[in-house]
């Protein structure tokens, strides 16, 4: 490949990508750099993004609003699948394929020679970005500075920027590695790297979406979530598009200290890493969806779907979004969701999500059959014959053991 004259960079305006722009200029013979900022819900971080990109040396900035596409095309399919990776609601893994997809589209439109991302050589995101790029643009040159430069830490990056007069939003004391989108905010680094350290949940400015339970209101709040075919479509009786519903629910549930998780996860690259995740809307919607399914799915479908959920989560976490298997699993999940319609009522109180009721026109729960009172629909004598057949394998095994 010849000289790289134009690079399209996945630009967040944070520390890594602020360093990358001048580094590319210095190490790739001053190419044109098009910084592409994908808005997947990190709206507060976009304030001043144009000035930061210009200050770092970008030749052009493109800002894409991807919130609707992120919610409808990535979050809701993963929610319907019930997919969690080791308890994690997959906020970052879902966003990376979409960001990489748009990065490729811009690179093709701009006739760029290469794309560039700021993921480290230790992390998961390099895998998610690059598998997507390989799937969509197999001949595209990928530049991953963290695998090339001599910088070893975020402190080194700050030094690099200070020497070049590049303005940053972080300081050495607040230099957490964060990822914010509409579905979550993750925190890594500094004292969080040691799982023995309690996260500073009550420190001013640490939590940005959620309250700590200690600072949550002393009064509980009831909410209702309406579902149609597995998709949340209403909050407290009001129809809403997905973006607004999640934004509103983040405020409500976050106020009550819901959705803050302390996770030590198994990374793709082979090491364990600790992070703090704030995902109030995600935790509420997962819980509400589980409750809705418990009412509407038959036993065998529900149990098999649990197996699918784990496989789906692994695909998302490891960057295999643009694969035939993920598409096939979506088709299965969509079939299971045809009757997952109704309303779930929840009580939020100091970090807790408490079930307060659930209704559905497709409910498979029958009070007539399940009641402890007298009924005319179930003859309990029938269970005698059922138990003789159901327990027969155990009985035969025990009888044969006695003869040995």
């Amino acid at each position: 490949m010849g000289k790289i004259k134009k690079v399209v960079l996945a630009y967040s305006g944070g520390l890594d990508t602020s360093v990358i722009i001048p580094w590319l200029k210095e190490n790739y013979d001053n190419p044109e750099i098009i910084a592409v900022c994908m808005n997947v819900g990190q709206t507060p971080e976009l304030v001043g993004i144009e000035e930061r990109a210009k200050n770092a040396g970008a030749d052009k900035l493109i800002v894409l609003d991807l919130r609707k596409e992120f919610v409808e095309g990535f979050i809701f399919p993963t929610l319907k699948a019930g997919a969690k990776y080791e308890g994690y609601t997959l906020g970052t893994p879902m966003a990376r394929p979409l960001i990489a997809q748009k990065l490729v589209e811009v690179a093709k439109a701009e006739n760029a020679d290469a794309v560039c991302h700021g993921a480290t050589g230790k992390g998961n995101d390099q895998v998610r970005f690059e598998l997507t790029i390989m799937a969509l643009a197999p001949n595209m040159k990928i530049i991953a500075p963290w695998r090339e430069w001599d910088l070893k830490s975020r402190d080194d990056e700050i030094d690099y920027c200070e020497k070049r007069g590049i303005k940053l939003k972080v300081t050495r004391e607040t230099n957490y590695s964060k990822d914010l989108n509409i579905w979550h905010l993750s925190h890594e680094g500094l004292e969080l790297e040691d799982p023995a350290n309690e996260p500073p949940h009550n420190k001013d400015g640490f939590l940005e979406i959620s309250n700590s339970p200690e600072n949550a209101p002393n009064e509980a709040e009831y909410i209702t979530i309406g579902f149609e075919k597995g998709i949340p479509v209403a909050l407290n009786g009001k129809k809403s598009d997905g973006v607004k519903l999640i934004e509103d629910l983040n405020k409500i549930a976050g106020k009550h200290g819901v959705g803050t998780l302390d996770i030590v996860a198994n990374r793709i690259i082979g090491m364990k890493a600790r992070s703090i995740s704030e995902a109030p809307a995600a935790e509420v919607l997962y819980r509400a969806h589980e409750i809705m399914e418990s009412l509407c799915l038959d036993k065998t479908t529900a149990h098999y779907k649990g197996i699918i959920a784990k496989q789906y989560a692994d695909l998302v976490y490891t960057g295999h979004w643009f694969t035939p298997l993920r598409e096939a699993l979506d088709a299965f999940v969509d079939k299971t969701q045809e009757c997952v319609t109704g309303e779930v009522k929840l009580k939020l109180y100091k970090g807790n999500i408490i079930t307060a009721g659930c209704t559905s026109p497709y409910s498979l729960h029958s009070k007539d059959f399940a009641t402890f009172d007298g009924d005319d629909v179930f003859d309990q004598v029938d269970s005698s014959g059922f138990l003789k057949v159901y327990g027969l394998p155990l009985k035969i095994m025990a009888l044969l053991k006695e003869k040995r």
Side-chain angles (χ1 to χ4, degrees):
M1 188 174 185
K3 181 179 183 294
I4 294 175
K5 299 178 180 179
K6 186 185 292 187
V7 179
V8 175
L9 168 66
Y11 179 70
S12 68
L15 178 58
D16 292 327
T17 53
S18 295
V19 174
I20 286 172
I21 292 174
W23 183 87
L24 286 171
K25 293 280 188 181
E26 294 169 11
N27 290 271
Y28 277 84
D29 197 15
N30 197 32
E32 179 184 352
I33 297 176
I34 300 171
V36 186
C37 179
M38 329 285 187
N39 182 6
V40 286
Q42 75 279 25
T43 307
E45 295 183 353
L46 300 182
V47 177
I49 193 79
E50 296 88 353
E51 181 182 349
R52 295 203 300 278
K54 182 179 179 181
N55 176 252
D59 298 285
K60 181 179 179 181
L61 174 69
I62 298 173
V63 179
L64 302 176
D65 188 347
L66 305 179
R67 289 174 295 174
K68 185 175 188 292
E69 190 170 351
F70 181 41
V71 169
E72 295 179 358
F74 292 79
I75 290 176
F76 283 169
T78 304
L79 173 67
K80 288 191 295 181
K84 289 185 178 182
Y85 181 83
E86 299 179 0
Y88 169 47
T89 52
L90 297 164
T92 295
M94 285 189 293
R96 295 314 190 225
L98 176 58
I99 291 170
Q101 177 188 17
K102 298 304 175 181
L103 190 69
V104 166
E105 291 175 5
V106 172
K108 289 180 177 180
E110 295 283 347
N111 293 313
D113 301 301
V115 294
C116 181
H117 64 75
T120 73
K122 283 185 176 181
N124 297 315
D125 285 341
Q126 60 180 338
V127 181
R128 297 162 185 156
F129 282 134
E130 297 190 26
L131 262 59
T132 300
I133 295 165
M134 290 176 192
L136 303 179
N139 295 317
M140 183 68 69
K141 167 72 175 174
I142 302 170
I143 301 174
W146 267 106
R147 303 202 300 261
E148 295 184 30
W149 62 26
D150 295 328
L151 304 175
K152 300 297 183 185
S153 68
R154 290 176 67 81
D155 276 347
D156 286 350
E157 289 184 300
I158 293 175
D159 290 339
Y160 185 95
C161 289
E162 287 177 347
K163 289 176 182 177
R164 289 158 179 80
I166 297 170
K167 299 175 183 177
L168 299 171
K169 293 182 71 176
V170 299
T171 67
R172 296 181 195 277
E173 291 72 31
T174 61
N175 188 24
Y176 294 105
S177 178
K178 297 184 180 183
D179 180 60
L180 172 66
N181 61 45
I182 195 171
W183 200 233
H184 88 147
L185 169 62
S186 64
H187 310 251
E188 294 180 313
L190 299 180
E191 78 276 16
L192 301 179
E193 292 185 346
D194 185 349
N197 292 331
E198 180 181 2
H201 289 144
N202 293 310
K203 181 181 177 181
D204 287 345
F206 180 74
L207 295 177
E208 299 178 29
I209 303 176
S210 299
N211 256 333
S212 67
E214 294 94 332
N215 293 326
N218 292 322
E219 296 294 327
E221 181 172 354
Y222 287 89
I223 62 169
T224 59
I225 309 291
F227 286 90
E228 291 181 4
K229 295 186 175 181
I231 296 174
V233 296
L235 176 61
N236 293 331
K238 295 181 180 179
K239 288 278 189 177
S240 178
D241 66 84
V243 172
K244 187 176 189 309
L245 188 148
I246 293 171
E247 289 176 342
D248 290 346
L249 189 52
N250 270 329
K251 294 175 184 175
I252 296 170
K255 177 180 66 176
H256 289 280
V258 166
T260 301
L261 302 177
D262 188 338
I263 305 166
V264 177
N266 291 293
R267 283 184 175 176
I268 304 166
I269 208 75
M271 65 188 73
K272 291 183 182 290
R274 196 258 195 113
S275 66
I276 306 302
S277 175
E278 300 177 58
E283 288 296 325
V284 168
L285 290 176
Y286 266 88
R287 178 70 63 82
H289 184 259
E290 289 167 3
I291 294 166
M292 195 81 262
E293 284 192 328
S294 73
L295 206 62
C296 300
L297 295 188
D298 66 275
K299 175 182 174 181
T300 53
T301 300
H303 288 188
Y304 191 75
K305 187 171 177 288
I307 299 171
I308 294 301
K310 185 180 183 304
Q311 178 67 65
Y312 200 105
D314 285 346
L315 289 175
V316 176
Y317 190 81
T318 59
H320 288 82
W321 185 270
F322 291 99
T323 59
L325 178 55
R326 198 271 307 166
E327 293 175 1
L329 293 182
D330 271 345
F332 168 80
V333 169
D334 285 345
K335 182 65 179 177
T336 70
Q337 300 298 290
E338 288 179 349
C339 294
V340 183
T341 295
E343 187 174 82
V344 177
K345 185 178 182 181
L346 300 168
K347 180 166 68 172
L348 309 180
Y349 181 67
K350 289 192 175 294
N352 294 289
I353 306 170
I354 302 164
T355 306
C358 182
T359 60
S360 171
Y362 303 103
S363 171
L364 297 179
H365 177 271
S366 170
K367 184 180 177 182
D368 290 342
F369 277 89
T371 181
F372 283 96
D373 295 332
D375 67 80
D376 299 319
V377 296
F378 187 87
D379 188 345
Q380 297 190 38
V381 173
D382 292 343
S383 291
S384 297
F386 164 74
L387 281 167
K388 287 179 181 178
V389 175
Y390 194 64
L392 187 58
L394 296 175
K395 183 174 182 178
I396 292 172
M397 183 169 59
L399 290 171
L400 292 173
K401 281 184 178 178
E402 288 179 356
K403 290 181 178 181
R404 293 191 187 114

